[in-house]
Amino acid sequence: MPLVLMTLLLTRPVSPRRVNLTSLHHVARIFQVRPTLWVLVAVNVLPLVGVLYFGWKTFDVVFTYWCENVAIGVINVLRMLTCNPDVEQLSDSEVAVADTAESNGPPSPDKIRNLRRRLAQRGPLVGWLEKLFLIPFFCFHYGMFCMGHGAFIFSLLGGPERGEPTNLDQVFGSSRSVLHGPLLLTVGVLAASHLWSFIKNYLWGGEYRRVMLMTIMFRPYGRIVLLHVAILFGGIAAQALGSPIWMLVLLVAGKVLMDAALHVYEHQTLERPVLTTA
C-alpha cells in the first residue's frame, strides 16, 4: 500500500491493471536516479524514532517540521545568491517568468523569443541589483511568515507551559528553550539533508542555471502552504486524541510521502528539456 500511494504522488497516473508492476518499477527508478531522495526519506523518518523511543508528542513533531522550514528559508537565500540563469538552458515556462505584462494566457512563441533576447542582453549588474532588493525582501517576508506559523504552533499545540509567543524574539526564544537533545539532532540532520540537496542538485547538478530568481524566491511558500496545512490539521487531530503513537506515525508517514512528491516534482521541473521556439 505505501508503494502504491508513493507512486500516485511521485509519478503520473497509471492504468489500474498495471499499478502493481508499474508502481514497483517507477518507485525503484525514481530512487535509482535520485540519490538525494534516499537521503530525504531517511532523515524524514527520524521523527518516528523520537515518537517511538523518546516519547515525543504532537508538539515535538510539528515543531521539528517548523524548524525545518526555517532551515529551508536560510538555504533558499543561498539559492538566490547563487542563482545565475543561462538563457539557453531556461525552459519556456521559466522564460515566461520574466514577462511582467498582464496576459490572459501563456506567452506566444514570438513573445518567448523576445523575452529570451531581452534576458540575453541583460548584464550581470542587473541580476545583482535584483538580488540586492529581493533577498532582503525574502528574508523579511519569509521571517514574518515563519514567525506567524511558529506562534500558531506554540499557542495551539504547545500548551500553557510553552507560553504564547507573539513576536519574532519570543518565537525564537521559545524555540531555543525546547530545541535540545534528540530534537536538536533531528532538526540538524533535516537541515543537513536540505543543504546536501542544494549542493548536489542545485550547484553540482546545474539547476542554478535553469531557474529564474523570482521562481526561487517564491518556491518555499508553496511547500509551506501545501505541506504544513496538512501537518497542522493532522497535528490538531492528534493533539485532540491525546497524541496516540499510531496517529503520530501516520502524521510522519504522510509528511514523508508529501515531501518526497514535492522534491521529485521540483527537480523534474528543472530537468525538463528546453522547449525551443522556432
Side-chain angles (χ1 to χ4, degrees), residues 29 57 59 85 101 115 123 144 154 166 174 202 212 240 245 258 272 274:
R29 178 62 179 164
K57 302 300 182 184
F59 171 83
L115 289 170
M144 296 298 292
F154 272 89
T166 57
S174 300
Y202 192 75
M212 297 290 290
I245 290 180
M258 293 180 68
R272 287 171 185 165
V274 175

Side-chain angles (χ1 to χ4, degrees), residues 18 21 52 90 94 96 123 137 140 175 177 216 222 245 259 261 275:
R18 297 175 56 198
L21 294 177
L52 297 175
L90 291 174
E94 275 301 308
F137 174 80
F140 172 78
S175 301
S177 69
I216 290 296
I245 290 180
D259 221 3
L275 300 177

Side-chain angles (χ1 to χ4, degrees), residues 196-237:
W196 166 243
S197 179
F198 164 71
I199 295 171
K200 175 70 169 60
N201 295 314
Y202 192 75
L203 296 181
W204 189 8
E207 290 179 355
Y208 73 101
R209 303 287 281 167
R210 300 191 292 270
V211 65
M212 297 290 290
L213 183 63
M214 290 293 289
T215 302
I216 290 296
M217 186 180 74
F218 285 110
R219 180 163 291 162
Y221 294 99
R223 181 186 185 277
I224 289 181
V225 171
L226 178 62
L227 193 58
H228 279 265
V229 165
I231 287 175
L232 281 174
F233 276 108
I236 292 170

